[in-house]
Amino acid sequence: MSSTIREAGPGAPKIMPLTARAAANTPVPLEHGIARNPGMKLDLGFLESVRSVNRSALERRVATLTKRRSIKADNQAAWLLRAIACMDLTTLNSNDTDERVRRLCAKAINPLRRDIVEGLGISGETIRPAAVCVYHPFVATAVDAVRGTGIHVAAVSTAFPHGLAPLSTRLQEIEASVKDGADEIDVVIPRGLVYGAKWRELFNEIVAMRAACGDAHLKVILGTGDLATLRNVMLASMVAMMAGADFIKTSTGKESVNATLPVGLAMVRAIRAYFEETGYLIGFKPAGGISTAKVSLDWLVLMKEELGRPWLEPNLFRFGASSLLTDIERQLEHHLTGHYSANHRHAMA
């Protein structure tokens, strides 16, 4: 993998060396600092070259990653703080209300109880989730609640979670969310286009979604639990990146099977192949079913081992999570006291 990284700036993107190695909990600005992926023409030849996926090999690789890496004590606490910084704190429930969203935003601004912050000696640091993620009707509420904190607001748009509304309707929803202040848009693809290998149609839809986002970053949800094969996951990932996705995301959280490590490995290898082809860095967001601190560490190890240190930053890696923060807070309290506390002592909203 090349040792360069493209950083955003006026004019053409500038190629710079990767930043020096830093501790996993080193705070960084939450602004979108990576040069945006402009996309490329749909290259069916390149797509054909990445279609072969060895499931057994991916599963063996995942098994070795989770077994040979042991993160303990202070190092574990530091990595869990990194997980918080890479989190999209999410509420996507049918009973969401403006007040519930405000409480979620308050939790994002102060994710850890004061006694835990003081015990860890991080009172002078700002460690917060990278974004809050909500349905479109609550975007304006969230924007107002996190104003001035550096926390992004992500909206799930395009007829989430199935993406089966007319394209014009989906594009209007994106534009409405951006108008209300969302600076990240999580869109879903119609999975039938993948089953039918309708790559041109899928590419054109994502290009249109990217245009509707304007300056807001585009996260493309593949709905991997519905795609049946890792080959479909790999090909859909590549088409999304060719069309200009800033992030590719596993799941809506509403499928029967959501983020799994073999699927994640296939997607991050697609990201690596795209980087080697174009020089642009694409973010990755696993979502759905990531609810324990231990699982979050597995994902962080995967990113570190497969893509390297830059993908431990929130501008290139996010967890889609709702209950994950509760378990991380419990684990950090256990690190300090040797005792686990009840979930209700770490209320989300």
Side-chain angles (χ1 to χ4, degrees):
M1 187 172 174
S2 172
S3 62
T4 59
I5 184 169
R6 294 179 183 257
E7 294 194 354
K14 183 180 179 182
I15 307 297
M16 300 183 65
L18 289 175
T19 55
R21 183 178 178 85
N25 65 332
T26 303
V28 296
L30 295 180
E31 290 81 4
H32 296 125
I34 299 296
R36 292 197 72 180
N37 169 35
M40 57 185 284
K41 291 182 179 179
L42 180 63
D43 186 340
L44 296 179
F46 183 39
L47 205 59
E48 181 67 23
S49 73
V50 300
R51 65 182 283 110
S52 298
V53 181
N54 187 328
R55 173 181 284 275
S56 295
L58 290 182
E59 290 175 345
R60 287 196 299 272
R61 171 63 170 158
V62 164
T64 63
L65 283 174
T66 57
K67 289 180 180 178
R68 66 189 178 87
R69 286 289 184 183
S70 181
I71 305 172
K72 301 294 185 183
D74 289 347
N75 288 331
Q76 184 180 93
W79 279 70
L80 292 178
L81 293 175
R82 170 55 39 186
I84 293 174
C86 292
M87 193 179 297
D88 281 2
L89 199 56
T90 302
T91 181
L92 298 172
N93 302 308
S94 59
N95 61 348
D96 283 344
T97 64
D98 286 318
E99 187 54 36
R100 181 186 181 92
V101 169
R102 290 189 190 97
R103 293 197 302 269
L104 187 78
C105 292
K107 182 65 173 178
I109 295 169
N110 294 290
L112 298 173
R113 288 203 329 258
R114 182 178 297 277
D115 60 306
I116 296 176
V117 171
E118 293 173 352
L120 293 172
I122 56 173
S123 298
E125 307 293 341
T126 301
I127 297 175
R128 292 170 173 161
V132 292
C133 184
V134 297
Y135 280 116
H136 165 70
F138 306 106
V139 168
T141 298
V143 169
D144 184 62
V146 301
R147 195 180 309 278
T149 65
I151 298 172
H152 298 293
V153 174
V156 291
S157 299
T158 62
F160 181 92
H162 303 299
L164 295 178
L167 178 60
S168 59
T169 301
R170 287 179 276 149
L171 296 179
Q172 288 170 4
E173 186 178 5
I174 292 173
E175 292 167 353
S177 293
V178 172
K179 184 178 180 181
D180 281 354
D183 61 349
E184 298 180 358
I185 303 294
D186 290 27
V187 305
V188 289
I189 63 169
R191 277 66 117 189
L193 297 182
V194 178
Y195 278 116
K198 297 179 180 178
W199 305 123
R200 172 66 62 182
E201 187 175 346
L202 177 60
F203 177 86
N204 289 341
E205 284 203 1
I206 297 173
V207 167
M209 293 174 187
R210 164 65 185 269
C213 285
D215 291 335
H217 275 216
L218 174 66
K219 304 196 200 90
V220 177
I221 309 170
L222 304 182
T224 54
D226 293 338
L227 295 186
T229 68
L230 290 178
R231 174 178 293 176
N232 283 342
V233 171
M234 173 68 80
L235 295 176
S237 297
M238 195 59 69
V239 171
M241 291 185 287
M242 288 180 178
D246 296 295
F247 270 71
I248 52 175
K249 176 179 172 181
T250 60
S251 318
T252 64
K254 308 297 184 181
E255 294 92 46
S256 57
V257 177
N258 293 290
T260 66
L261 288 169
V263 161
L265 182 53
M267 293 175 70
V268 300
R269 289 191 171 175
I271 288 172
R272 186 166 65 192
Y274 186 82
F275 173 71
E276 291 170 348
E277 180 72 13
T278 67
Y280 284 95
L281 286 73
I282 309 300
F284 176 60
K285 179 179 175 180
I290 303 174
S291 58
T292 68
K294 181 181 183 304
V295 171
S296 74
L297 293 176
D298 290 341
W299 283 101
L300 288 171
V301 168
L302 172 66
M303 301 309 294
K304 176 66 170 63
E305 292 286 319
E306 286 290 320
L307 293 178
R309 179 63 180 83
W311 273 268
L312 294 183
E313 301 292 350
N315 52 12
L316 286 174
F317 180 67
R318 303 285 181 84
F319 292 107
S322 52
S323 58
L324 174 60
L325 180 55
T326 296
D327 194 57
I328 288 178
E329 197 174 9
R330 291 179 67 243
Q331 294 296 330
L332 291 173
E333 182 170 4
H334 179 268
H335 172 70
L336 292 172
T337 68
H339 302 286
Y340 287 107
S341 61
N343 282 3
H344 68 262
R345 297 189 64 238
H346 309 278
M348 285 297 302

